[in-house]
Amino acid sequence: MLPTVVATQYLTALREGGSLPGVVEADNDGVYVVKFRGAGQGSAALVAEIVVGELGRRLGIRVPELVTIDIDPEMARRDPDQEIQELLRASAGVNLGMDFLPGSVGFDGVGWQPPAEEAARIYWLDALTANVDRTWSNPNLIIWHRQLWAIDHGAALLFHHSWPTVATWAERRYDLSQHVLADLVASLGPATLAKLDAELAEAVTEDLLTEVVAMVPDSFLLGMNSVPEDADPPELRQRYVDYLLARRTRVGAWWPGVDA
Ligand SMILES: Nc1ncnc2c1ncn2[C@@H]1O[C@H](COP(=O)(O)OP(=O)(O)OP(=O)(O)O)[C@@H](O)[C@H]1O
Ligand SMILES: [Mg+2]
């Protein structure tokens, strides 16, 4: 399970974020970027944040710490903005928090570059999890203390918005041609990429995936707009495991510059 904190104060809205994430202080004095359950698509984006973020962390990618954060709807009374009041009321209870990295700047490809191998790990994760949200217009990568951190995995795992058979989705290649790290990844060359693919595919075991999906609260799984109310959380978790297991051996054909 993820660590749990309790929100004490809503600090500010991150207006550039499409889902209106907020910066919130918690009872452990930590400051978190909160993704609210009550924002639009239900909790699907929160499930994706946990599954992709925690998997990425285990594959050697820097992802800010994730927590579940409890929101008291009374907090809404203290904010003058009606849109935020409604969002907080719709999100009473458990939400997702990501450690706020103060002073971080968005990666824009100009100047500082991450090591190419690090970029390739991120690209591999994005191909595995169908994360099309790492483009030049929206890199979702931040630089903090001269290191690259991956954020915002809410748009990944597209398959969970409709739940047809996992097998059909697992075969699907997504268009990552606009991926912000594609050129850097391609610069590693086919032999290095093949080696890295073998390492990562081997690391993504059923046990590892089971550990990762166990971190998703039942309420997030059941709160997705796409799942029936009588859905069974263990069965839903297994779908993610099956999907990712089926894809892990395909990703090697999806490197930039490799035609499959
Ligand atoms: N952990 C963090 N530390 C510091 N800044 C962050 C953090 N997470 C997000 N941000 C900032 O807030 C912005 C919005 O966050 P994020 O991309 O996660 O939100 P979103 O609503 O999913 O956005 P999008 O519009 O990309 O769908 C980021 O681009 C980044 O500038
Ligand atoms: Mg974003």
Side-chain angles (χ1 to χ4, degrees):
M1 273 289 156
L2 294 173
T4 296
V5 301
V6 179
T8 50
Q9 201 183 350
Y10 184 93
L11 298 176
T12 186
L14 284 169
R15 296 240 167 234
E16 70 266 43
S19 66
L20 206 60
V23 180
V24 174
E25 195 174 64
D27 61 342
N28 61 349
D29 291 337
V31 176
Y32 298 91
V33 172
V34 176
K35 298 290 176 84
F36 294 101
R37 226 184 52 248
Q41 3 147 285
S43 51
L46 284 58
V47 174
E49 290 275 9
I50 298 173
V51 174
V52 180
E54 291 299 334
L55 180 58
R57 193 190 312 288
R58 286 159 179 76
L59 298 178
I61 296 164
R62 269 180 233 94
V63 177
E65 187 195 21
L66 297 177
V67 298
T68 50
I69 181 161
D70 216 57
I71 303 280
D72 179 348
E74 280 299 300
M75 240 167 71
R77 284 176 189 273
R78 302 199 292 269
D79 201 281
D81 185 317
Q82 197 181 342
E83 194 185 3
I84 288 163
Q85 286 179 8
E86 282 166 14
L87 184 59
L88 291 173
R89 286 210 183 91
S91 307
V94 183
N95 293 268
L96 184 72
M98 175 183 269
D99 191 23
F100 177 71
L101 306 183
S104 59
V105 294
F107 173 74
D108 59 4
V110 179
W112 184 89
Q113 295 289 324
E117 200 218 81
E118 218 172 273
R121 284 177 192 269
I122 294 173
Y123 188 98
W124 196 91
L125 176 74
D126 291 338
L128 178 76
T129 61
N131 181 21
V132 294
D133 215 1
R134 196 101 68 194
T135 61
W136 286 106
S137 56
N138 200 0
N140 289 317
L141 291 169
I142 55 182
I143 305 170
W144 191 57
H145 294 289
R146 300 197 123 255
Q147 289 185 313
L148 194 65
W149 293 74
I151 59 162
D152 191 5
H153 302 114
L157 301 173
L158 209 67
F159 84 98
H160 70 175
H161 292 285
S162 67
W163 301 103
T165 60
V166 162
T168 318
W169 287 95
E171 286 168 20
R172 199 159 153 196
R173 178 182 186 163
Y174 289 81
D175 180 11
L176 296 188
S177 58
Q178 301 305 308
H179 196 283
V180 65
L181 301 171
D183 287 350
L184 192 56
V185 174
S187 75
L188 281 170
T192 306
L193 290 177
K195 205 164 147 241
L196 184 63
D197 170 59
E199 181 207 312
L200 292 169
E202 199 182 325
V204 177
T205 59
E206 180 152 21
D207 281 356
L208 185 86
L209 292 170
T210 302
E211 174 190 321
V212 164
V213 297
M215 301 176 96
V216 181
D218 284 3
S219 61
F220 287 4
L221 291 166
L222 298 175
M224 293 195 285
N225 294 343
S226 58
V227 303
E229 258 172 47
D230 61 352
D232 174 39
E235 192 221 316
L236 295 177
R237 286 195 182 85
Q238 191 59 39
R239 290 237 195 173
Y240 290 89
V241 172
D242 293 343
Y243 172 83
L244 294 167
L245 269 184
R247 282 175 78 79
R248 71 183 170 150
T249 50
R250 300 176 190 275
V251 184
W254 298 338
W255 286 121
V258 177
D259 270 322

